[in-house]
Amino acid sequence: MKKFLISLCLIQVSINCFSQVNFEKGYYYDNNNIKTECFIKNLEWLNNPNEILYKISKDGEVQNKTVKSISEFGVSQIVYKRFNVEVDRSSRLLDKLDYDRNPNYKEEELFLKQIVKGNLNLYSYVDGNFSTFFYDGKEKAITQLVYKKYYKSESIVAESNIYKQELLNNLICKSISTNNINTLRYSKKSLYNIFVKYNTCKGVIFDKEDEGKKIFGLNLKTGINFNSFKIPSRSADNPSSYEFNFGNITGFQIGLESEFVLPFNRNKWAVIIETSYNNFRSESTSLNYLPETVTLNYRTLEFPVGLRHSFFLDEKSKFFINASYVLIFDLDSEFTTSRPGFEFSKGTNMTFGLGYEYHKFILEVRYDTDRGELFSDSNNYSTEFTSLSVLLGVKIL
């Protein structure tokens, strides 16, 4: 428990330290097109914002600007521009579809996130479950790329792919065929690629949102486990002749971790899936009457699945925290005793990690919560098993 509390404190301190460093160098344009350099609170917007918090200097007073008072702002290579747009917000959820294939436009004033900048620009807009795209150019007013689902009949759902006709009429270039447009999916990646292709075809040097960050990583990890294993007495009033305390046991583990970076919040969140082999060996003598020495040779294959949050220091280094749910499978572990009925069972627990990554190298401290009952049939004897691990790793991919 003491180790667990220490781990939680370290995680909390890390969150507090890094979450405060979020006013980053940026700019905004006001309604008179006057540019102001400032420090903007980077909230890593999953939904498009309607206001920003900023400081004129790092130690200055926090102020705010809304979509009504600024026409554009940028921070950390992210750019939002204000537009008055005709937007169709038709839901794509089956229980909210209508029978009209035509869009239902309403005028709104929105910040749109710029994805591609060039001869034709691409923008995105996200608001909860609703997402859509817009584009404009020097001779093209801002226009929504509409994709709508609707009921053709009570049992038939149809699609209104208005965005494809819009792009067929305007993305005219020899490198873009009709088939390229007709097979185009309504997704950020597909639209990003077709707009990059168009601008490249036109010979335009364009700025783009950073799409180059890896979304998948593979890490090889190995380390030492400091395990604590006990078979406690039933109670003080009903002491057991089968009470053991194996104390602190040093073990070994090696594993392969897959990291899937999620495409929002500036790549700070990731799903982690790991496969690891764990092993330790120890012996203990009964603490009560009828003394007996037993031997434990513990071998498991474990599958932690969880989430990781990263705190980037620069392009090569970061701190991270993670939490995982672990599936534990026994690999013919042995508990040598004179008594029958000690068969190892499958188990689950939680693990919490705090680590540092520099370039390709990883250092992590990980705490594993109690694994519950280690034996499937232990004659009503309970077990207590926790561990603290120190891991070293290297990025393979």
Side-chain angles (χ1 to χ4, degrees), residues 104-229:
N104 179 23
Y105 290 115
K106 291 184 179 180
E107 186 175 353
E108 297 186 39
E109 189 173 50
L110 304 173
F111 276 134
L112 303 182
K113 183 179 181 180
Q114 188 163 40
I115 301 174
V116 173
K117 181 180 179 181
N119 195 42
L120 286 178
N121 309 304
L122 178 66
Y123 307 89
S124 67
Y125 180 77
V126 179
D127 183 13
N129 293 326
F130 174 73
S131 63
T132 190
F133 301 92
F134 296 82
Y135 81 111
D136 72 357
K138 293 179 180 179
E139 299 179 356
K140 178 66 179 178
I142 190 73
T143 303
Q144 185 183 12
L145 295 169
V146 177
Y147 168 67
K148 182 179 179 180
K149 287 185 176 182
Y150 65 98
Y151 280 117
K152 193 172 183 179
S153 66
E154 288 188 4
S155 59
I156 299 177
V157 175
E159 296 179 341
S160 181
N161 295 306
I162 300 173
Y163 74 99
K164 292 183 179 180
Q165 187 59 55
E166 184 72 32
L167 295 179
L168 276 172
N169 294 339
N170 292 278
L171 266 63
I172 300 172
C173 196
K174 61 182 180 181
S175 64
I176 298 177
S177 66
T178 302
N179 186 60
N180 291 149
I181 302 297
N182 288 335
T183 58
L184 188 68
R185 296 180 58 199
Y186 194 76
S187 68
K188 178 181 176 180
K189 182 177 180 181
S190 295
L191 291 171
Y192 169 86
N193 288 337
I194 200 71
F195 272 80
V196 167
K197 191 172 186 178
Y198 172 81
N199 281 288
T200 302
C201 175
K202 291 297 183 180
V204 178
I205 299 176
F206 60 93
D207 299 322
K208 59 182 180 180
E209 181 187 25
D210 184 11
E211 296 280 333
K213 290 187 177 181
K214 288 198 304 181
I215 61 171
F216 175 74
L218 198 61
N219 308 320
L220 179 64
K221 291 186 174 181
T222 185
I224 299 174
N225 303 329
F226 301 98
N227 307 291
S228 173
F229 179 60

Side-chain angles (χ1 to χ4, degrees), residues 3 224-228 247-251 385-390:
K3 293 177 181 177
I224 299 174
N225 303 329
F226 301 98
N227 307 291
S228 173
N248 294 320
I249 313 163
T250 302
F385 181 14
T386 59
S387 65
L388 185 71
S389 306
V390 179

Side-chain angles (χ1 to χ4, degrees), residues 313-326:
L313 302 178
D314 52 45
E315 292 183 356
K316 292 185 177 181
S317 62
K318 68 177 182 179
F319 285 100
F320 63 85
I321 57 174
N322 40 250
S324 299
Y325 180 76
V326 187

Side-chain angles (χ1 to χ4, degrees), residues 259-277:
E259 185 176 9
F260 301 88
V261 179
L262 300 177
F264 58 82
N265 284 49
R266 298 169 64 204
N267 303 98
K268 289 191 173 185
W269 289 95
V271 174
I272 51 175
I273 302 173
E274 185 177 345
T275 302
S276 67
Y277 170 79

Side-chain angles (χ1 to χ4, degrees), residues 22-38:
N22 48 21
F23 277 90
E24 301 176 8
K25 191 172 182 179
Y27 70 91
Y28 70 83
Y29 283 95
D30 64 18
N31 290 334
N32 296 317
N33 204 34
I34 298 174
K35 183 178 182 180
T36 299
E37 302 282 348
C38 61

